[in-house]
């Protein structure tokens, strides 16, 4: 249990506590408030409550959930690692964390074996260390937090759009614009609840793209996202008529290379190291199958 007495008034309680307590993010404070774990003068308040001088705040600390997952020796390409974070190149076909139908064989299981129990517990029982995620069939770079302080800082950077994520996508069709921005809200599809869709009731979603190369019937794009909605890149590109090659959900999935899973790769991350403050730029190489497809398309251009 933590006890604080407010020294000055005017700030929202979620902002006040996240600034006052280094080990608590604003999101964590909001969750504790909504669960009645933070009391002001022995009363439950909302996140919008503005603290006043002399307020007595009582915080019931969260007890980390014991992780029952098993560590598994699954090979992973490590791009960078230190005592606070580990950055890996996730292969296509690997689920990030356990869920129904995928109890093991996930990135989390592999990372647990590599880090020998040194992972942030904020993600909960099935998501230790996970700060952000990639779809099962999206390959590429992903950063994992080894401790709670790193997790909180990285989560704040992502929330405040201070992490730059760059993707490479091969789409069907010849994209005419050299670069453009897609600003369309994304939410759960009303026709198929398993899918996402562009919908007026959805949340703001912004995707920027730039043409890297045009081929016969295909275009290679560099994609950056401002928001992180589920399936955002896949939904947006499909919506404007350029579905990602191999995407079996947001296109008919047919492709001449007969691959399974979308040709979408998280190429790089730019962020500030959560502990040292160093500016980081890290890249993940393209999967071999993706490289082979691009080589094939390049050869056709020369014929």
């Amino acid at each position: 249990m933590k006890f604080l007495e407010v020294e000055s008034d005017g700030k929202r309680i979620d902002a006040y506590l996240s600034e006052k307590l280094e080990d608590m993010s604003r999101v964590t404070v909001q969750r504790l408030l909504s669960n009645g774990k933070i009391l002001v003068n022995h009363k439950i308040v909302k996140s919008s409550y503005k603290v006043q001088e002399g307020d007595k705040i009582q915080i019931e600390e969260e007890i980390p959930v014991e992780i029952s997952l098993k560590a598994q020796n699954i090979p992973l390409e490590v791009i960078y690692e230190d005592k606070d974070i580990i950055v890996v190149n996730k292969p296509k076909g690997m689920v990030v964390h356990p869920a129904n139908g995928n109890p093991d064989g996930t990135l989390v299981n592999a990372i647990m074996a590599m880090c020998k129990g040194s992972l942030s517990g904020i993600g909960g029982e099935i998501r230790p260390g996970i700060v952000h995620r990639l779809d099962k069939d999206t390959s590429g770079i992903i950063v994992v937090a080894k401790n709670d302080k790193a997790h909180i800082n990285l989560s704040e950077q992502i929330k405040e759009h201070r992490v730059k994520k760059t993707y490479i996508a091969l789409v069907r069709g010849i994209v005419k614009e050299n670069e453009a921005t897609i600003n369309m809200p994304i939410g759960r599809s009303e026709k198929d609840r398993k899918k996402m869709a562009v919908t007026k009731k959805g949340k703001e979603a912004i995707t920027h793209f730039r043409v890297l190369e045009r081929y016969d019937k295909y275009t290679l794009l560099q994609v950056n996202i401002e928001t992180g909605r589920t399936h955002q890149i896949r939904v947006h590109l499909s919506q404007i008529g350029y579905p990602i090659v191999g995407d079996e959900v947001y296109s008919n999935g047919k492709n001449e290379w007969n691959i399974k899973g979308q040709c979408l790769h998280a190429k790089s991350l730019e962020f500030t190291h959560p502990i040292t403050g160093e500016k980081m730029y890290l890249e993940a190489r393209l999967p071999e199958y993706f490289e082979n497809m691009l080589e094939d398309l390049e050869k056709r251009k020369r014929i």
Side-chain angles (χ1 to χ4, degrees):
M1 193 77 72
K2 287 182 180 178
F3 298 92
L4 289 174
E5 185 168 334
V6 178
E7 298 165 352
S8 59
D9 57 14
K11 284 192 175 180
R12 284 172 53 118
I13 189 169
D14 54 355
Y16 176 80
L17 288 177
S18 63
E19 290 176 13
K20 197 81 173 172
L21 304 171
E22 285 188 1
D23 61 342
M24 256 186 216
S25 69
R26 193 163 180 170
V27 173
T28 300
V29 171
Q30 290 169 347
R31 184 176 68 252
L32 292 175
L33 284 164
S34 64
N35 291 335
K37 302 293 186 181
I38 296 178
L39 303 179
V40 179
N41 304 324
H42 306 291
K43 294 180 181 178
I44 294 174
V45 297
K46 295 181 178 180
S47 298
S48 57
Y49 173 81
K50 291 187 176 180
V51 297
Q52 300 175 33
E53 187 177 350
D55 275 350
K56 291 179 173 55
I57 302 176
Q58 178 181 320
I59 304 167
E60 185 180 331
E61 297 181 78
E62 291 181 301
I63 300 172
V65 179
E66 185 177 347
I67 295 168
S68 58
L69 291 172
K70 60 182 178 180
Q72 293 178 299
N73 264 330
I74 303 171
L76 277 179
E77 179 188 348
V78 178
I79 298 169
Y80 175 86
E81 183 178 12
D82 60 26
K83 63 184 179 64
D84 301 300
I85 61 174
I86 181 169
V87 182
V88 300
N89 188 359
K90 185 190 84 68
K92 179 171 70 74
M94 175 180 273
V95 175
V96 170
H97 52 74
N100 291 337
N102 296 287
D104 54 25
T106 71
L107 180 74
V108 164
N109 297 107
I111 292 287
M112 285 178 68
M114 296 171 71
C115 296
K116 297 180 171 35
S118 176
L119 287 175
S120 161
I122 291 176
E125 185 175 359
I126 63 170
R127 304 184 186 188
I130 300 302
V131 181
H132 65 115
R133 60 183 293 275
L134 294 173
D135 295 340
K136 176 183 176 181
D137 287 323
T138 298
S139 59
I141 194 166
I142 188 166
V143 59
V144 179
K146 287 188 175 183
N147 55 64
D148 290 357
K149 190 172 182 180
H151 195 132
I152 289 168
N153 184 283
L154 287 169
S155 295
E156 289 288 353
Q157 288 188 55
I158 290 170
K159 182 182 177 183
E160 295 167 4
H161 309 302
R162 291 188 284 122
V163 176
K164 185 176 181 181
K165 304 174 184 178
T166 299
Y167 296 78
I168 299 296
L170 183 66
V171 301
R172 296 213 316 268
I174 309 297
V175 179
K176 295 178 182 178
E177 304 91 342
N178 288 330
E179 55 185 66
T181 295
I182 308 168
N183 188 343
M184 299 177 181
I186 290 176
R188 189 67 59 183
S189 170
E190 295 179 5
K191 296 179 181 178
D192 184 346
R193 302 303 291 174
K194 293 180 181 179
K195 296 172 65 174
M196 306 302 289
V198 169
T199 169
K200 291 180 180 179
K201 296 179 181 179
K203 294 182 178 179
E204 181 184 46
I206 302 172
T207 302
H208 308 282
F209 70 79
R210 179 168 66 86
V211 171
L212 296 178
E213 196 69 56
R214 292 182 177 92
Y215 305 105
D216 178 32
K217 300 179 183 177
Y218 301 97
T219 307
L220 186 68
L221 301 176
Q222 174 180 299
V223 184
N224 295 97
I225 54 175
E226 283 191 32
T227 51
R229 306 301 171 211
T230 301
H231 300 173
Q232 177 175 321
I233 297 173
R234 297 163 63 192
V235 171
H236 269 171
L237 291 176
S238 178
Q239 180 70 23
I240 65 171
Y242 302 109
I244 296 174
V245 172
D247 192 334
E248 297 179 350
V249 177
Y250 299 105
S251 72
N252 59 21
K254 292 179 181 179
N255 59 83
E256 58 192 287
W257 294 275
N258 200 31
I259 64 157
K260 288 189 176 181
Q262 59 270 6
C263 288
L264 179 62
H265 177 74
K267 179 190 176 185
S268 66
L269 281 177
E270 293 178 59
F271 60 98
T272 301
H273 191 285
I275 306 301
T276 68
E278 178 187 357
K279 296 295 182 184
M280 308 286 290
Y281 175 80
L282 299 167
E283 278 194 14
R285 60 178 179 172
L286 279 172
E288 186 177 2
Y289 80 91
F290 207 148
E291 290 277 14
N292 291 340
M293 290 169 66
L294 296 182
E295 286 178 13
D296 185 27
L297 289 168
E298 281 290 347
K299 287 177 183 176
R300 295 186 208 178
K301 286 179 70 176
R302 294 195 290 267
I303 295 173

